Amino acid sequence: MMIAKIHVTLKGSVLDPQGTTITKSLNSLGYDEVRDVRIGKYMEVKIDTTDRKIAEERVTEMCEKLLANTVIEKYEFELVEA
Amino acid sequence: MMIAKIHVTLKGSVLDPQGTTITKSLNSLGYDEVRDVRIGKYMEVKIDTTDRKIAEERVTEMCEKLLANTVIEKYEFELVEA
């Protein structure tokens, strides 16, 4: 069994209104040192396989097809033994 | 300048309906090897400070007060120089 730890984040050029809101909220709570917040998704996908190479190919496909919107998002992942 | 890379995830005992939905979607797309998906949030918070110890205290506070719902979520973070 393997776990794919996947990060899906907005591409750098894409506006992040949710992050802007959190920046303002933190500033108004007194955290004036906060300059910017970017929000992304984090997923842990448990995969029933032992073959790391196949797992990498399959997880890449899953990201491209379902987990990330590659027009505005980028993804990266690492595989760990579960 | 430092960046806090924060992961907010549901505690293990909390049901994750969003993850269950994605598991089913992946299964129905032919990824039968997917056993479980857990969804969390990932945040990058840019902080204008050079003092790692103070930054750690402040980010912990931010997580407790705003970024995580500690009743059902846990958080962890690492600080990197930007």
Side-chain angles (χ1 to χ4, degrees), chain A residues 8-11 14 40-41 67-75:
Chain A
V8 178
T9 50
L10 286 168
K11 289 182 180 173
V14 179
K41 280 170 283 182
L67 303 177
N69 174 355
T70 54
V71 178
I72 56 168
E73 292 171 329
K74 57 190 162 60
Y75 61 86

Side-chain angles (χ1 to χ4, degrees), chain B residues 9 12 17 24 30-31 37 46 48 56-58 72 76 78:
Chain B
T9 49
K24 285 178 188 162
Y31 301 104
V37 179
K46 196 181 284 183
D48 191 1
E56 264 175 29
E57 285 171 12
R58 299 283 279 179
I72 56 168
E76 54 191 38
E78 55 169 341

Side-chain angles (χ1 to χ4, degrees), chain A residues 50-82:
Chain A
T50 50
D51 187 320
R52 177 171 289 269
K53 193 166 179 313
I54 289 176
E56 264 175 30
E57 284 170 14
R58 298 283 280 180
V59 173
T60 302
E61 267 184 46
M62 291 177 210
C63 287
E64 293 281 342
K65 279 192 190 166
L66 187 79
L67 303 177
N69 174 355
T70 54
V71 178
I72 56 168
E73 292 171 329
K74 57 190 162 60
Y75 61 86
E76 54 190 39
F77 64 87
E78 56 169 341
L79 288 166
V80 297
E81 306 279 341

